[in-house]
Amino acid sequence: MSIEVRNVTKKFGSFTAVDDVSVTVPAGELVALLGPSGSGKTSLLRIIAGLEAPDAGAVFFEGEDQARRDVRVRRVGFVFQHYALFRHMTVFENVAFGLRVRPRGARPSVADIRAKVMDLLKLVQLDWLADRRPSELSGGQRQRVALARALAVEPKVLLLDEPFGSLDARIRQELRRWLRRLHDDIRLTSVFVTHDQEEALDVADRVVVMNRGRIEQMGTPQEVFEHPATPFVMTFIGQSAVFAGTVQGGKAFLGPLAVDYPAHLHEESRPAAGYARPHELDITRIENGGGGLWATLRHASPAGAVVKLELSDAEGRSLQAEVTREQNEALQARVGERLYVKPRKLRIFVEG
Amino acid sequence: MRRAPTEPLAVRAALLAVAVGFLAVFLVLPLVAVFAQALEKGFAAYVTALREPDAGAAIRLTLLTAAIAVPLNLVFGLAASWAIAKFDFPGKGTLLTFIDLPFAVSPVISGMIFVLLFGRQGLLGPFLGAHDVKVIFAVPGIVLATVFVTFPFVARELIPVMQALGNEEEEAARVLGAGGWQIFFRITLPNVKWGVLYGVILCNARAMGEFGAVSVVSGHIRGLTNTIPLHVEILYNEYNFQAAFAVASLLACLALVTLLAKSVVEWRSQQASRREEPAREAA
């Protein structure tokens, strides 16, 4: 079922958590709301669920306005950041809760509830822990119980608030792969909130980048990574080297760099900045056809698939670059050496 | 296992002696004295003092008062703590202050307030007189005064417990389709049950033992408006020490049972929270 958020605004006192946001989540997709803390992503998720009422705007499920529908009847599955499992109930009772509280007419029989709950626990691979209490489970297991509990009421959309936030790195990776496979199996329209760009790019079909209550960019992981729409998206998603300067008359003058910039042909000078990803910087010993700058190698960390180089330019500004192991061996650079840095690709954003 | 170095033995022994001595003089000795005095003339006299009609009436009145005051304050305490811990509303601070009022005011003053309100010369006196309702120097006054004096116990006990629990489990239940009462009985109440029990135990002990406020509104009518503490006072003033202590021993027993119940509840709730802790660290 598709979700549409139309011009939603939410204020807490004088703080605007969500500022005139519109998003569409197509049916069956897994969408990430990505942003730093305080960017309004959790507020937006809670508004979609019906846990908060928007001050303006509306939420539609499959074209149907949800404003008058209480969270109880919206049929959303919600996984809370700290799971919010019922601590005095067993895993089985936690998952069964949504079925047991239904009005008598709509409530499945005891045997049906049992079968359904055990099926769900099998789905999340926890059927062997049905009689345990939440306190006896690990973080990853609790997360999966919370997911099974949310799925028990056969929700039409699944909403997850920082689903991997309080897990350690290894379990986090495992669990997000698992969530992706689960989503591919059940194809439930899902939205999850995260502040971790790697997680968003890895798991989601589509990423919505938020900042200060507004949407900076929406697109596939590749789009937001390769073609960031704003400087915020550029710096928030992945590392980048920044060259500040101006644009004027079809050229950009960014510190030591001067490149063509046909998008701004005015004679009037405007402040601008150029951004390059660490792997988009070519590092050589000789002045490689111009268009670059000299910088001193401060540190090289050869651990991992790529070698990370930390350089500083003539004004002492730090630059992060990445080269392959082969390139690094060919380069044979030592700390303290001067190297020529040339961006292969530069994204230029004009201010204002 | 080697002990960690501590204070010299002499210092520890001295501190311990002071603590034990204090306890013995101010707590154990009086308690022993109560029972010793009560049994001074033998067990038969002890039983006679308790089976005397006026004593029986006092015991019944005390039980009746507690049976009304405790459930009322339980409901009030649950409602107030739920509202204060889970919602933000204007006047929350004022409500909190009012809950503490009975703790702040001397019980005698509390009794006087009811006399001023419901007494013959009081604010509502003419109205009550015209309808032939007797509050002061009658059972309703005693119940009212007791309810007033004991109403902070349950609420005060529950507010911090509910605040510590937060709102997430209730929200989760709501998303899963549970209604207000279902959330209360299936989620909130089970989570605070030890706090509730603890509050009820304290509330009950005070309701049965209250002297000051009840003394003002009671009128000390033997067999009619005397609770156990008032009955003890009357017997004592009549120099009937043995009977006075015999009845007082009932209250002493209540105190012991309360302490025992309190430590059982504390132990159980610690067990409950300990079960949650290790896993929380693993999370």
Side-chain angles (χ1 to χ4, degrees), chain B residues 43-166:
Chain B
F43 192 69
Y46 177 78
V47 175
T48 313
L50 293 182
R51 295 181 65 173
E52 191 243 336
D54 287 349
I59 292 168
R60 277 195 298 277
L61 181 58
T62 297
L63 291 177
L64 173 75
T65 307
I68 297 172
V70 173
L72 265 182
N73 283 327
L74 172 62
V75 171
F76 166 78
L78 278 170
S81 55
W82 164 276
I84 287 170
K86 310 281 178 183
F87 304 101
D88 269 321
F89 52 90
K92 190 161 153 174
T94 318
L95 181 58
L96 265 170
T97 313
F98 273 117
I99 288 175
D100 282 341
L101 191 66
F103 279 164
V105 173
S106 158
V108 176
I109 311 286
S110 312
M112 303 268 285
I113 293 167
F114 285 101
V115 173
L116 287 174
L117 274 177
F118 300 109
R120 199 171 294 165
Q121 266 81 47
L123 217 55
L124 300 172
F127 174 81
L128 293 172
H131 291 81
D132 204 20
V133 180
K134 225 168 136 42
V135 175
I136 300 306
F137 306 144
V139 174
I142 293 171
V143 173
L144 275 176
T146 307
V147 168
F148 178 81
V149 170
T150 58
F151 91 56
F153 286 94
V154 177
R156 264 287 152 211
E157 198 54 49
L158 284 184
I159 289 167
V161 176
M162 288 215 191
Q163 277 172 338
L165 284 169

Side-chain angles (χ1 to χ4, degrees), chain A residues 51-74:
Chain A
L51 286 167
E52 307 275 358
D55 295 328
V59 175
F60 299 86
F61 288 174
E62 204 70 62
E64 195 185 333
D65 190 355
Q66 300 292 310
R68 291 171 176 281
R69 292 171 59 106
D70 185 70
V71 56
R72 286 182 63 195
V73 293
R74 277 197 197 186

Side-chain angles (χ1 to χ4, degrees), chain B residues 195-227:
Chain B
V196 172
L197 203 55
Y198 192 77
V200 164
I201 289 168
L202 293 181
C203 183
N204 182 57
R206 183 64 189 267
M208 291 191 174
E210 174 57 27
F211 179 81
V214 169
S215 170
V216 177
V217 296
S218 142
H220 305 268
I221 307 165
R222 274 197 176 207
L224 281 179
T225 63
N226 266 352
T227 59

Side-chain angles (χ1 to χ4, degrees), chain A residues 174-244:
Chain A
E174 249 172 57
L175 209 59
R176 76 188 192 213
R177 284 285 141 74
W178 177 82
L179 180 73
R180 180 67 237 189
R181 283 200 303 275
L182 183 74
H183 182 262
D184 290 341
D185 289 343
I186 60 179
R187 281 279 151 208
L188 188 62
T189 311
S190 308
V191 180
F192 76 99
V193 157
T194 179
H195 63 270
D196 182 341
Q197 38 102 4
E198 197 189 318
E199 195 169 287
L201 300 185
D202 190 22
V203 179
D205 294 317
R206 211 175 268 269
V207 179
V208 177
V209 186
M210 290 189 71
N211 184 32
R212 295 183 187 181
R214 290 176 165 275
I215 290 178
E216 296 270 337
Q217 189 175 6
M218 268 181 274
T220 64
Q222 201 189 351
E223 275 164 16
V224 293
F225 188 77
E226 294 290 335
H227 308 288
T230 65
F232 175 82
V233 178
M234 182 76 207
T235 47
F236 190 70
I237 296 182
Q239 280 193 313
S240 47
V242 188
F243 305 93

Side-chain angles (χ1 to χ4, degrees), chain A residues 98-114:
Chain A
L99 302 171
R100 289 209 201 284
V101 296
R102 283 194 187 163
R104 193 156 302 205
R107 196 187 309 153
S109 71
V110 174
D112 286 349
I113 290 179
R114 171 146 211 101

